[in-house]
Amino acid sequence: MTSVPTPIPSRTQFVQEGIKHRILTGQLTPGQALVETELAAQFGVSKTPVREALKTLAGTGLVVMNQFKGATVRMVDADMAREVYDVRLLLEPEALRRSVLRGTSLDTAREALERADAATDTAQRSLANREFHRSLYVRCGNPLLGRMLDEVRDQAALVSAVAWAADPSWEREAAEHREILRLALDGDSDGAARALHAHIASFVRRAFPEAQGKDEQE
């Protein structure tokens, strides 16, 4: 039987994933300039795949393109955090509720928590955190709902990275993650959804209290 060769990622995809990883792990910080020539040299490619990668990352909300200033890592403020977390609050608990009702395996979520507990730096912890949350909703039975949450996942990770740099709170969040998973494994779909909603809301309230104040004024 002839084996099918594994597709080789394009140069643009390779650069895109590399830049995204650096942003989400804090190696590239909000507001930092993304110079095409420097990135091309670092990744060993021409400027064309770098330019295309930056355009794609701008579409996902991680990069800002300016005609005069060029590309920069997106800044994180209370308004940005509120927008991203409003979407998560509306969609993610319901997606988890549906996943539990469907009897979806949560082995990936358990493994992500184990990786987070064993993490030795913020980068590893951030990646494990993203995987934990995605595993809760990705098999909810509605692919469109999953894709909508995927669209804000990277922006949420950027918010988390900035918040953790100012006030490391992952131990508290890890305890909340374990409770969410416990409820989900027990088949308590509504309880798991409520715990997830409280978890998301409390994070943005602690990290960006000014965003909460704006909500109360509107």
Side-chain angles (χ1 to χ4, degrees), residues 154-213:
D154 289 343
Q155 295 178 58
L158 180 58
V159 172
S160 297
V162 170
W164 285 344
D167 179 23
S169 58
W170 48 73
E171 289 186 3
R172 172 175 177 172
E173 288 144 33
E176 294 172 355
H177 285 169
R178 286 190 285 271
E179 177 62 10
I180 292 165
L181 182 58
R182 183 190 68 79
L183 291 166
L185 291 173
D186 286 347
D188 186 351
S189 58
D190 290 333
R194 285 194 298 270
L196 179 57
H197 188 282
H199 166 69
I200 296 170
S202 65
F203 174 79
V204 75
R205 188 165 55 244
R206 293 192 308 273
F208 297 91
E210 59 270 41
Q212 181 72 12

Side-chain angles (χ1 to χ4, degrees), residues 115-142:
R115 287 198 303 276
D117 288 340
T120 57
D121 58 36
T122 303
Q124 294 176 0
R125 192 174 291 108
S126 176
L127 294 173
N129 180 68
R130 291 173 68 235
E131 184 58 33
F132 171 76
H133 278 277
R134 187 172 193 271
S135 66
L136 298 180
Y137 68 73
V138 70
R139 297 179 182 175
C140 66
N142 185 327

Side-chain angles (χ1 to χ4, degrees), residues 1-5:
M1 182 176 179
T2 304
S3 61
V4 178

Side-chain angles (χ1 to χ4, degrees), residues 15-206:
V15 173
Q16 177 186 325
E17 291 301 317
I19 295 173
K20 181 169 77 170
H21 179 82
R22 293 183 184 186
I23 292 173
L24 296 182
T25 56
Q27 297 174 60
L28 293 171
T29 57
Q32 183 170 343
L34 300 169
V35 183
E36 291 181 7
T37 52
E38 293 178 359
L39 291 169
Q42 292 170 16
F43 287 103
V45 298
S46 68
K47 291 197 298 183
T48 299
V50 173
R51 187 177 302 118
E52 293 303 314
L54 292 175
K55 288 180 181 177
T56 300
L57 291 171
T60 67
L62 288 181
V63 169
V64 175
M65 305 286 286
N66 184 287
Q67 181 179 357
F68 304 103
K69 296 181 180 179
T72 58
V73 180
R74 182 175 182 177
M75 293 293 294
V76 174
D77 57 20
D79 287 337
M80 184 262 199
R82 182 178 59 163
E83 290 174 4
V84 171
Y85 277 72
D86 273 352
V87 173
R88 292 187 65 195
L89 284 168
L90 289 169
L91 301 181
E92 199 167 325
E94 174 60 20
L96 171 59
R97 190 184 71 83
R98 295 185 180 196
S99 293
V100 175
L101 288 174
R102 285 168 54 86
T104 299
S105 171
L106 294 171
D107 288 345
T108 304
R110 185 187 293 107
E111 292 167 0
L113 286 189
E114 292 172 354
R115 287 198 303 276
D117 288 340
T120 57
D121 58 36
T122 303
Q124 294 176 0
R125 192 174 291 108
S126 176
L127 294 173
N129 180 68
R130 291 173 68 235
E131 184 58 33
F132 171 76
H133 278 277
R134 187 172 193 271
S135 66
L136 298 180
Y137 68 73
V138 70
R139 297 179 182 175
C140 66
N142 185 327
L144 177 58
L145 178 55
R147 288 196 298 272
M148 291 172 70
L149 284 164
D150 274 346
E151 287 182 6
V152 300
R153 189 167 68 116
D154 289 343
Q155 295 178 58
L158 180 58
V159 172
S160 297
V162 170
W164 285 344
D167 179 23
S169 58
W170 48 73
E171 289 186 3
R172 172 175 177 172
E173 288 144 33
E176 294 172 355
H177 285 169
R178 286 190 285 271
E179 177 62 10
I180 292 165
L181 182 58
R182 183 190 68 79
L183 291 166
L185 291 173
D186 286 347
D188 186 351
S189 58
D190 290 333
R194 285 194 298 270
L196 179 57
H197 188 282
H199 166 69
I200 296 170
S202 65
F203 174 79
V204 75
R205 188 165 55 244
R206 293 192 308 273

